Amino acid sequence: MTGVRELRLVVTADDYEEALRFYRDVLGLEQRAAFASDGGRVTILEAGRATLEIADPPHADFIDDVEVGRRVAGHIRVAFEVTDSEGVTRTLEAAGAEVVAEPTRTPWNSLNSRLNAPAGLQLTLFQELGE
């Protein structure tokens, strides 16, 4: 064991209030803590269980091709497992996210959509469809 207990993705958002509204209030990530410094703020949001997925460029191309039909993701893409990919996609779109690709059934049997969201993040929403 290395002693790692949590993965925390830290995002610097030019529009802090918009990012907080989107991820906390619309997507529903629970606020764990918030801190302020001289002129600055940070909020820590709970996002469930975290994993680190590392893909080589050919596999990243494959995922983009399946979910979107072409290469669109940058170096980092954030994926959230949700219970209703279609519904959450519509909710986030109404809150200002740009839908890049509608929910699509993948070869690994999940329903995935892709969005461009506040703070410059590209999101995959995925719903596991089971056997």
Side-chain angles (χ1 to χ4, degrees):
M1 287 295 288
T2 62
V4 174
R5 297 179 43 118
E6 177 181 342
L7 171 64
R8 187 172 293 179
L9 177 65
V10 180
V11 175
T12 302
D14 289 332
D15 190 338
Y16 174 84
E17 291 298 333
E18 171 60 14
L20 188 59
R21 181 195 69 80
F22 184 86
Y23 294 102
R24 182 190 62 198
D25 304 335
V26 179
L27 185 56
L29 302 182
E30 185 177 328
Q31 182 171 319
R32 180 197 294 178
F35 305 98
S37 60
D38 290 338
R41 297 170 290 164
V42 64
T43 300
I44 300 168
L45 303 173
E46 292 287 344
R49 181 180 63 105
T51 61
L52 177 61
E53 182 175 326
I54 299 174
D56 64 12
H59 194 76
D61 291 344
F62 172 73
I63 293 170
D64 275 11
D65 189 52
V66 167
E67 292 182 2
V68 182
R70 67 189 188 286
R71 184 74 174 133
V72 295
H75 177 69
I76 295 176
R77 176 177 50 84
V78 179
F80 291 105
E81 182 178 2
V82 297
T83 58
D84 176 12
S85 185
E86 179 65 40
V88 176
T89 298
R90 297 287 73 87
T91 298
L92 298 186
E93 179 181 34
E98 173 197 358
V99 175
V100 176
E102 295 292 336
T104 302
R105 187 180 204 114
T106 68
W108 45 91
N109 205 28
S110 62
L111 191 61
N112 295 21
S113 65
R114 191 72 70 89
L115 302 100
N116 288 326
L121 294 178
Q122 189 167 98
L123 308 181
T124 291
L125 301 178
F126 68 100
Q127 175 184 347
E128 296 295 355
L129 299 175
E131 296 300 318

